Amino acid sequence: MTAWLPVVVGVALVAWLALDAALIALRGWRGRGRLRFADRWDALSRALHLAAAALLLLVFVQWGHLPGALWWLVVLPVAAALSGAALRWPELPRHGEDGAAGTRRASAAGGAVLLVLGLALVVLV
């Protein structure tokens, strides 16, 4: 029974991150309607959190139990999401006009901290 636990957890995390990356990619590539970035801080926050989650997935999932093709199911949507955010960057406003602009700035700072901690974890492990 416990031999399947790493496989189930790994597949669930891969599916979650791939779906999250696909939704962020839609924000970048479509760029209009409800699925769009609010401002540059929103794009930066989502990109940093996505990169940190992919890095932590790489470290914590036991890839010896899973096929390597699952990693590509994460990498491709993450690459599409990051390139979509970079594509929309010049046309995004610097600061949002709504009440959640401060929250997005704080979220971007938190994403940067998560990414640095994840990189430190990779270096130490």
Side-chain angles (χ1 to χ4, degrees):
M1 171 72 180
T2 58
W4 287 96
L5 190 59
V7 174
V8 171
V9 170
V11 169
L13 289 175
V14 164
W16 168 75
L17 189 58
L19 179 64
D20 190 32
L23 291 174
I24 294 172
L26 281 176
R27 288 179 183 273
W29 288 98
R30 287 184 42 132
R32 58 188 177 283
R34 282 185 25 172
L35 282 178
R36 63 178 174 82
F37 294 117
D39 57 7
R40 289 183 178 181
W41 288 105
D42 186 25
L44 183 64
S45 171
R46 291 177 190 275
L48 287 172
H49 281 94
L50 189 62
L55 186 65
L56 292 175
L57 182 78
L58 180 63
V59 172
F60 286 119
V61 170
Q62 296 179 4
W63 290 101
H65 295 287
L66 298 173
L70 284 179
W71 176 243
W72 289 106
L73 288 177
V74 172
V75 170
L76 294 176
V78 167
L82 295 180
S83 62
L87 177 72
R88 293 286 171 226
W89 186 267
E91 65 190 42
L92 291 173
R94 290 186 187 271
H95 303 289
E97 301 297 325
D98 57 344
T103 304
R104 287 191 297 271
R105 286 191 295 272
S107 181
V113 169
L114 276 176
L115 188 58
V116 168
L117 288 175
L119 286 172
L121 183 66
V122 168
V123 170
L124 292 175
V125 172

